[in-house]
Each structure stands twice: as structure tokens, then as C-alpha cells.
Amino acid sequence: MEIDDPVPQQVEDLRKKINCHNHRYHALDDPVISDSQFDELMARLRELEALRPELVTPDSPTQRVGAALAEGFAQVEHPLPMLSLANAFNYQELEAWRRRVSTLLEVDDFRMVCELKIDGLAVSLTYEDGRLVQGATRGDGYRGEDVTHNLRTVGSIPLSLLKPGPARLEARGEVFMSKEAFARLNEERAAKGEPLYANPRNTAAGSVRQLDPAMTASRNLEIYVYALGHTEGEGLPASHWDALEMLGEMGLRISRHNKICHTIAEVEGYYQEWLEGRHGLSFHADGVVVKVDSFLHQEQLGVVGREPRWAIAYKFPAEQAVTRLLNIGVNVGRTGSLNPFAVLEPVVVGGATVKMATLHNEDDIHRKDIRVGDWVTVERAGEVIPQVIGPVLARRTKEARVFEMPALCPVCGAEVVKLPDDAIHKCPNAACPAQFFELLKHFVSRGAMDIEGLGERWCRVLIAEGLVKDVADLYSITEERLLELERMGEKLAARILSNIEASKSRPLSRALFALGILHVGSEMAELLAQRFRSIDEVAKADEERLVGIPGIGPKIAASVVAYFGAEGNREVIRKLKDAGVDPREEGPPDGMDALPLEGKVFCITGALATMPRSQAAARIKALGGSTTSNVTRKTSYLVVGAEPGSKRDAALRLGTEIIDEEGLLSLLEGRS
Ligand code: IVH
């Protein structure tokens, strides 16, 4: 008798449920279960797939993040070119477009669809029999890059469609980063002392066009699908609006703000509504796209060059203004970077008064030839800090002067350094009060040592009054000294002191984060804490050891080693320890027990019977090992599956240990 195997059906049901909730959450913005219930479903599916690896399919919701690509992207040809749009900058130009369309079609009355023009990056998604098989960038319109691995990580892109659609379906849309996700990313970067990103569009594009899907996944990108591309099958829609409806029903995310319009007055109404309303959107929109609805009409109108006659981008005015650049100031960041900023004659840009703007760095100022005293164009885009675009040269006077970075730190007077391959000037003095003020704020902040009561103002006072010269000094402040400070009451002093005391028991990860080591954000601090168990152990690690840990690259390793190498920092750690700040992580120390495959390099060749190679690689990594695509002298094991290629010969030549799938499983399961 055949035994009924319930697992495949359970897996299938779970996937259906997850896809359905995913669609409700991402595409419809209407979740019906909580995040934790969703996580539970995912956990159950992961569990079943771990038990039965043969059931894992590439479109399973668990398979969004795959391994990083070793080389660049493959090129893909677009079966239908990805067009761009002609622009209209005012009502007259919009009307002229409609008149031309009307004349060419020889009809007075035709439907148009209005959509928001999202400022992101255009992508093409190809589904075969309902499964996502390719994601590509627009490229030059004819050929783009295959970024399937990265686009699979975007939550609002379904890996499989909800309904069986045409045999082959291409959807096109805009991938973007919300204003909020962008702001959060920049906050995290600021906390790590890393340079900020300039705007959400470039950041979204950069996140899609890089080789590590895990990085794309961390960026919280989104998509709105705005068109049907090359599609083969029966019963295809006759109009753009119907196509959008069809795509929506299949689970693709369509904007709720799309609208059918019959007259140009209605289009203008839509435009005016969003001209104001765009500031309240969660993403940056730079105009309205107007499209002739009927596909038959679209065909009759055709394309000139790369621009279809049947659509136009009715652009919002850029949020720019011209004003005087009164001065260029320089502030010193937490990591010592000298950041120039523009002091402007106040001017209203996009509804807000702007008095200051970023100027990036000295090279940028010179490249744009911005001089103090110039009239300059200032732009505010979305949530971004205002920027100086460039000078209005026609209005330059003789008084305008070329900017030079100060040779000495404007705060502590230390000699400024500039590394040859770096655009940034730095104050090298870790004890520089400007740096120290930023560091102290960070040290006491909620995600770090969480010393409530010590806000920005008191940090400033403690430094100014000489009570703290490094973060460890916090722990020797007395009530007496605190009460001497202006506007300090007994209650507040007691609260601050008790919070300082309580901070001694923060976990190691928080303490490591609090130190403000360049590139060590809260996640990295967590990883270091788990691996090293005490600050002293982290301090002892050399670059080689650090780089050997999955998740730590050479930049981070170098920064950690440089931090603990500086005598000033070592002194602070000693003082912290003496004061009782020496957190330790519980559990077995970093070593063979915790990560049995630490330092082992695997190369896998041929197909495995029990799991896909990507899964084997993930399991190896989880146990501390790493994988490579070729056999080299560093390879510890060559794992051979069915039909191994030439790698076996290489392993024999180099004397690399060769194991089969069973051997790998023994290592993974700790049976050897
Ligand atoms: S339609 C002919 N619709 O704008 C069809 N494009 O300048 C061309 N874009 O490359 C695209 N939102 O990246 C269309 N609702 C929308 C859009 C949109 C943003 C971008 C797209 C395109 C560029 C054209």
C-alpha cells in the first residue's frame, strides 16, 4: 500500500497562503494578519523545506535572497524596446500634445489614463507560466542588465502570479525607495559614521545594480507596475487601463492613484491635485504621465525615435530657487569628516524656507565652480536635504571668492588630513570636541547605552564644563559636580546618575555599538558580540580573523582593528572596565563548538540530490564555512555531486580533499 505523504500539499498550501498575504500587504496595502502571524507562516514553511529540501522550488517565498553573483550582470535584450517619454512643462504644451493626438487619430474624443511619474528606476519583469523568470533594467532601452536575483528580493514583486495568465507575460514598472526607507537608511549610515546618500532615486538604482541580493533586500525597495510589455497568449486586453487591471488581478502592484480622464481639463485637474498632494506621498513623484488608453490608438500613433506619440510626461516644476551664497561653513562630524555647507540668503523652495544646503566636499564645490558670494541655484527634492546645484554664472561679481578647505580643524585646531583616494578632509584628532560631542550623543542614545536624561543639551554642558573628556568619564561624575551646573536640580541629577549606573549592565552588542567605531552599526555590533563575547576579545582580533567571519568585509575589519589600535581608545576601554563597564555575552566562547566549519572553504560541483547547491552553500555559511566557485589552494573540500565537471581534476592536482554529498551531510550535521 502506498503511504500518503501530506508534506507536499502542506508546503503548497502554505505557499499559497503566504503569497496571498504578501499580495495583500505589498500590492493592496491591506493586510489581514499581523506581521508576527505572517512570520509564523514563513517559519513553518522554512521548517518544512529544511526537512524536505527536495520540495524547495525557486519561486518559493523562502527563496527571495540567493547567493551573490561573482561577476557582472548578463545583458538581456528587450523584446519590445523600453521607451522614454516626451515632456510637457506647462498647460500649453500639454494641450498641444492632445491636439496633435486628436488630429492624427482623427477623433475628438478619446480616453486617457493619468498616472504619477515615479522617480525611480524602470524595470521589466518576465513571467513564464506564472513564474518570475527574469527581471531586467531598462539599460539603453534596447538592452538592459539581468538583475533577476536582486529584484526577487523586492517584497512587492510576486515570484509567482496569483492567477494563471498568458503563457509569457512581461510587466514593466518603476522600482523605488520610499521617502521613509531612505530617511531610515541615512539615519543608520549617520549612526555608523558613513557618508549619507544623496537621494532615493540614485540609492534605489544603486541597490538594484550591485551584485549582492542580500544588500538589495536590506534596502526595502518597492515597485509600482505601470505597463504591460511583450506578452504572448490568448485574450489580451484592448486598452492600457484594462491591462493595468489584469496585472493587478495577477498580483502585481498597481498604483491606486491611476485615473481615467476624458478631457484635458480633467488631466489638468489631476495634475493640480498632485502638484500639491505629492508632498504627502510616501515616494517621490516628479510629474504626471498621460497615456492614450486604447492599444489600437497607441498603435496608430506610433513612436518617434524613443518617444511614443501616445504618451507624455507632464512634469512638476523642479523645486528650485536662486539665492545668494553668503558663506561656506564647515562642520566636523562624529568620525572627524569636515563637511562644507552653504549658508544662504533665506529663500522659499517647494513650500519651505531654506537657509542652509549641503555642499558634499571640496572637490564637488570646485567641480561645480561654486564661489562664496555667487548667486546659486538651490534644489529641494523630496525628503532630501537641500542641495546647491551650481552658480548662476551670468550674475557672478568680482567679489566672488574661491573656497578653500581650512588647513586646521575649525573646532580643535588640529592639522586637517586628506587621503589621496578620498574626497573627504578629516580632523585626525579623536579627542576633538566636535567629534567628541557627536560621539557622546551617540554613546548615551537609546540604541546605545541608553542614558536617559542626558540629552544633547546636557552633553554639550558636560563637555563645556570639563566633566567629561571621554565617554568613560561619565562613570566618575559625582552628584556634587552635577549640582554645580546651572539649571541642574536634585531630581534630575539623581535620575541621570541612576541611569548612568544602569547603563553598566547593557549587553555587549550595545556597548560595542556605543563606542562609535566607524562602520560598526547595531547589526555589526550584534555580530561581533556573538562572535567575541567581550570587548577585550574583539580588541585582540586581527584583520585576518575578522575577515574570516561571514558578514565582515575588509573595510569593517580594517576599521575595527584601527579603532582598537589607537592608544587613546585603548585607554578609554581600560577606564570603562575599571568603572565596571565590561559586558560579556553568555554562552560558549567563539570556537569549534559554536561554528564547526569556521575557516573551511568548500567548492561544490555537480548537482546534489538532497538540496540545491545554493542551499548547501547557505548551510555551510551558517556553520561558519565559506564557498568558492573554483578549486584553489585555499579550498578545504571539493564536494562532488552528480556529473562533476573539470573541478575534480583540479582538486586531484592540488591534493584538495574530495567528498561526496554524504560526506557533506555528515559535516553539516556534525556526524563526522
Ligand atoms: S510609461 C512609453 N509610466 O519615466 C512608456 N513611465 O521618462 C514609458 N516612469 O523610463 C514608460 N512612472 O522609468 C511610465 N507611470 C509611469 C511612470 C514612468 C515613472 C519613468 C520610467 C520611464 C521614464 C520615462
Side-chain angles (χ1 to χ4, degrees), residues 83-85 115-118 121-122 138 174 226 289 291 308 310:
L83 301 170
S84 58
L85 293 168
E115 298 167 17
L116 290 168
K117 185 168 187 298
I118 304 151
L121 118 131
R138 175 174 180 273
E174 197 84 350
Y226 56 60
V289 184
K291 301 172 183 173
W310 47 264

Side-chain angles (χ1 to χ4, degrees), residues 127-303:
Y127 289 86
E128 265 173 22
D129 295 323
R131 292 188 175 198
L132 178 68
V133 292
Q134 188 179 74
T137 60
R138 175 174 180 273
D140 64 4
Y142 302 101
R143 297 169 128 254
E145 284 168 328
D146 183 338
V147 287
T148 316
H149 293 279
N150 290 342
L151 292 181
R152 288 170 66 85
T153 70
V154 176
S156 41
I157 296 180
L159 301 182
S160 54
L161 298 176
L162 291 180
K163 280 186 168 181
R168 194 180 166 84
L169 174 140
E170 187 201 355
R172 291 175 175 180
E174 197 84 350
V175 166
F176 62 95
M177 188 180 252
S178 72
K179 294 173 185 172
E180 196 197 326
F182 177 71
R184 228 178 319 121
L185 176 65
N186 261 351
E187 266 167 36
E188 278 165 24
R189 292 184 66 84
K192 289 188 219 165
E194 291 172 358
L196 302 189
Y197 287 123
N199 61 57
R201 189 205 29 227
N202 293 356
T203 314
S207 310
V208 169
R209 299 190 58 248
Q210 54 81 45
L211 296 173
D212 181 7
M215 150 85 92
T216 320
S218 74
R219 291 291 168 79
N220 294 306
L221 301 177
E222 299 177 43
I223 193 169
Y224 276 120
V225 164
Y226 56 60
L228 189 64
H230 174 75
T231 298
E232 296 160 13
E234 302 284 300
L236 295 180
S239 73
H240 177 61
W241 184 263
D242 291 348
L244 292 179
E245 289 227 306
M246 177 187 88
L247 292 167
E249 280 164 15
M250 289 181 166
L252 290 152
R253 190 176 187 221
I254 311 294
S255 167
R256 270 176 286 128
H257 305 308
N258 298 344
K259 191 180 169 196
I260 294 181
C261 291
H262 295 89
T263 65
I264 213 67
E266 273 180 75
V267 173
E268 179 66 12
Y270 182 89
Y271 175 85
Q272 290 297 337
E273 183 188 331
W274 288 110
L275 185 59
E276 283 307 309
R278 63 179 152 150
H279 302 297
L281 288 168
S282 65
F283 53 86
H284 189 53
D286 59 347
V288 164
V289 184
V290 192
K291 301 172 183 173
V292 172
D293 188 33
S294 149
F295 283 157
L296 196 65
H297 282 163
Q298 289 191 3
E299 218 170 288
Q300 285 169 2
L301 290 162
V303 175

